[in-house]
Amino acid sequence: MAALSNTPKETLAELDKFIVGQADAKRSVAIALRNRWRRRQVEPPLRDEIAPKNIIMIGPTGVGKTEIARRLATLAQSPFIKVEASKYTEVGYVGRDVESMVRDLMELAVNMVREEEKSRLEGVAAANAEDRILDLLLPQGSASHGNSGPEGGGSFTFSGTDLPARLKPAGDISTREKFRQMLRDGKLDERELEVSLSDTKSMPMVEIMTTSGMEEMQSSLQDAFSKLFPRKKKKTRMKVPEALEATRKEEMERLVDMDRVVKEALRRSEESGIIFLDEIDKIASRHGGGGHGPDVSREGVQRDLLPIVEGATVSTKYGMIKTDHILFIASGAFHLSKPSDLIPELQGRFPIRVHLHPLGQKEFVRILTEPENALIKQYVALMATEGVELEFTDEAIEEIAAIAVEVNEKTEEIGARRLYTIMERVLDTLSFDASERQAEHFVVTADYVREQLSAIVKDHDLSRYIL
């Protein structure tokens, strides 16, 4: 959870590495993240009264709304889920109900904490797996004779219920340590073992045809059946490295305390969970609504979403989760509607509004060159795999940015996403022939860019379909 203690300036500096411009949006997100940490420093009962300040990011497509969400997920180091508001429907209609986003957040939190526990227990699991393989390689009473198996062959039978080596005499201890060293050095890799492992496919399959809002029933029934029917053991013949990895994974699953995992995941979801609601403008009633056509369903989704944002208790297969302190960040282009078209109650639950500005030529040049994942850097790295040294002149980058702005103005405004299409068209020939151009230094100039794109840019109709 270290990232949550970052100051707003530190968070802003991290976002600047990948996102050009949009300082207001990045500042708001940085402050919201810091406020999560600040709230936890406040003593109860006041702590429970401090609600998160939800954010709406407003701006055209391709200006960085989704990218901010992606980078925020990495920085937050807390349960974070990005969902499309348009895929949810009002209760009673076919589709997903809004509570499912909270269940998805909880599922993600459980997986996150489980992976952390596995990382923490990796050394113990590896040691246990090594002992289990050594128990097989050195059956009781055979180590001192140097036999490789009950019949001196290369095949052994191993049961997952065997006692650990420290609880039974498994031969001379020095012999065991010699085998351990051989195992670590890979000298036993070619031997085959017959290992008995838990068979995950032996569980009964449960599938339910259900309407929206009942997604949890199938997984809950599967969990119930898994407790009623213990997993069977399945014998599988494999080489030592594969057996070692399989037993390590089984030991890892056995060591992880799921009760502890679920408890910690529930705490994290409630205290520091973040839900990013993309395309929220798609559920806004256009021109104030009026109760006609699809606007009825849109307002229904908003009414269902309202209690989740306000603070409600949602039932999941891991238990009840409260949404009072989950941070909601919404975003939308609002081309055909405006934030005021949302129902007033929902507007009030998003007190911070941030406008993201359209990108121009200067911003496109920076996007192409400055971020750590800049498009120019990506294509240079891709061509380097073919032995081609790719270089872009400053004039070429300026020309690419200028053409992107021109096409956006003539056709549809899709922001920085236009750069991806233009870069592909510019490097189309080189990408096709790169495997035959090994050890070549290829320079992309402004003239080359114009040569590749001039015909398409001049033809208005053609540019609508190709660029």
Side-chain angles (χ1 to χ4, degrees):
M1 306 297 290
L4 285 182
S5 62
N6 286 353
T7 65
K9 287 185 179 180
E10 290 171 342
T11 301
L12 187 61
E14 288 297 318
L15 291 174
D16 283 339
K17 293 179 181 178
F18 301 97
I19 302 164
V20 170
Q22 313 302 355
D24 291 343
K26 290 186 286 190
R27 279 171 59 91
S28 297
V29 166
I31 293 171
L33 272 185
R34 182 64 175 183
N35 280 339
R36 314 291 277 171
W37 176 85
R38 290 168 178 161
R39 176 183 167 273
R40 285 207 292 271
Q41 312 311 309
V42 177
E43 295 296 327
L46 183 58
R47 178 197 299 171
D48 298 330
E49 300 299 324
I50 300 176
K53 305 303 183 287
N54 299 323
I55 304 169
I56 285 187
M57 294 194 296
I58 305 163
T61 182
V63 297
K65 300 188 300 295
T66 304
E67 187 66 16
I68 289 175
R70 288 180 58 231
R71 298 303 166 185
L72 183 64
T74 304
L75 286 174
Q77 291 184 6
S78 58
F80 178 101
I81 187 169
K82 175 182 175 291
V83 297
E84 304 288 334
S86 55
K87 75 178 181 181
Y88 297 102
T89 63
E90 185 180 359
V91 171
Y93 289 80
V94 176
R96 301 197 72 189
D97 69 291
V98 293
E99 289 187 351
S100 63
M101 70 176 70
V102 181
R103 300 189 189 102
D104 292 342
L105 180 72
M106 182 61 189
E107 188 72 40
L108 186 145
V110 169
N111 291 337
M112 175 187 295
V113 179
R114 184 194 290 122
E115 290 304 315
E116 290 177 5
E117 282 292 292
K118 286 182 177 180
S119 298
R120 187 177 67 86
L121 297 168
E122 188 170 2
V124 179
N128 288 355
E130 194 176 73
D131 282 338
R132 288 174 61 177
I133 296 299
L134 288 174
D135 288 343
L136 173 59
L137 292 171
L138 295 168
Q140 184 175 348
S142 65
S144 59
H145 301 291
N147 294 336
S148 58
E151 300 175 359
S155 175
F156 306 88
T157 301
F158 170 67
S159 172
T161 58
D162 286 348
L163 287 172
R166 60 183 178 273
L167 299 181
K168 65 180 183 180
D172 183 69
I173 192 68
S174 61
T175 305
R176 184 179 183 87
E177 291 308 313
K178 288 178 182 178
F179 266 75
R180 187 188 301 276
Q181 192 59 46
M182 292 172 65
L183 180 64
R184 292 175 178 176
D185 293 342
K187 296 179 180 179
L188 305 175
D189 287 356
E190 295 304 315
R191 295 201 179 191
E192 282 194 348
L193 308 174
E194 191 177 72
V195 293
S196 182
L197 301 169
S198 297
D199 184 11
T200 56
K201 296 181 180 180
S202 65
M203 297 304 303
M205 294 297 295
V206 180
E207 188 170 348
I208 300 174
M209 299 300 291
T210 177
T211 57
S212 65
M214 302 292 286
E215 296 96 340
E216 291 293 292
M217 184 177 291
Q218 179 171 331
S219 60
S220 297
L221 284 175
Q222 286 177 338
D223 289 344
F225 277 114
S226 67
K227 295 175 182 176
L228 288 173
F229 301 96
R231 291 183 177 180
K232 297 179 181 178
K233 294 289 183 179
K234 180 181 180 181
K235 291 184 178 181
T236 307
R237 181 178 291 275
M238 57 182 67
K239 291 189 176 182
V240 167
E242 297 172 355
L244 193 60
E245 178 65 17
T247 52
R248 186 191 65 82
K249 289 181 178 179
E250 190 170 85
E251 282 294 313
M252 190 84 75
E253 294 295 334
R254 184 181 65 82
L255 289 169
V256 171
D257 183 352
M258 282 307 297
D259 291 336
R260 177 180 173 181
V261 166
V262 170
K263 184 177 180 180
E264 174 62 16
L266 183 62
R267 186 194 66 80
R268 289 193 193 181
S269 297
E270 291 184 340
E271 296 293 323
S272 59
I274 302 173
I275 295 180
F276 190 94
L277 275 169
D278 203 6
E279 307 289 356
I280 196 171
D281 56 313
K282 301 299 189 295
I283 62 171
S285 300
R286 299 171 187 174
H287 312 300
H292 300 287
D295 285 344
V296 178
S297 179
R298 291 193 185 103
E299 288 193 7
V301 176
Q302 294 180 58
R303 286 193 296 269
D304 291 343
L305 186 61
L306 180 61
I308 303 296
V309 179
E310 285 182 331
T313 302
V314 177
S315 174
T316 74
K317 66 179 181 180
Y318 300 106
M320 308 298 284
I321 176 173
K322 295 180 179 180
T323 66
D324 300 64
H325 299 290
I326 292 176
L327 175 65
F328 288 85
I329 302 176
S331 75
F334 289 97
H335 287 310
L336 303 176
S337 59
K338 51 188 180 296
S340 59
D341 290 331
L342 296 169
I343 60 175
E345 299 89 340
L346 191 59
Q347 292 182 49
R349 290 296 170 178
F350 288 88
I352 302 176
R353 295 186 184 182
V354 183
H355 289 267
L356 283 80
H357 306 291
L359 302 173
Q361 182 174 342
K362 290 182 179 179
E363 287 79 14
F364 283 170
V365 171
R366 292 180 61 196
I367 289 171
L368 287 169
T369 57
E370 290 184 10
E372 291 188 0
N373 62 336
L375 274 178
I376 297 293
K377 297 176 184 177
Q378 293 181 27
Y379 281 99
V380 169
L382 286 173
M383 291 299 105
T385 63
E386 299 279 8
V388 177
E389 184 182 350
L390 181 62
E391 179 185 346
F392 289 80
T393 65
D394 293 341
E395 293 77 13
I397 295 173
E398 290 281 354
E399 186 67 22
I400 290 171
I403 291 175
V405 172
E406 181 183 351
V407 176
N408 274 344
E409 291 173 349
K410 288 182 177 179
T411 57
E412 297 293 333
E413 173 63 64
I414 63 172
R417 292 189 177 95
R418 185 73 66 186
L419 294 173
Y420 289 87
T421 309
I422 290 178
M423 288 291 291
E424 282 295 322
R425 295 298 305 177
V426 168
L427 297 176
D428 180 73
T429 302
L430 177 62
S431 296
F432 187 80
D433 299 333
S435 57
E436 302 170 6
R437 293 172 174 256
Q438 296 181 5
E440 180 179 337
H441 182 210
F442 191 90
V443 180
V444 177
T445 63
D447 291 336
Y448 182 81
V449 172
R450 285 190 287 269
E451 179 186 338
Q452 298 297 313
L453 299 176
S454 59
I456 299 173
V457 173
K458 289 178 182 178
D459 191 327
H460 178 71
D461 293 330
L462 195 60
S463 63
R464 291 181 64 89
Y465 293 99
I466 297 182
L467 293 180

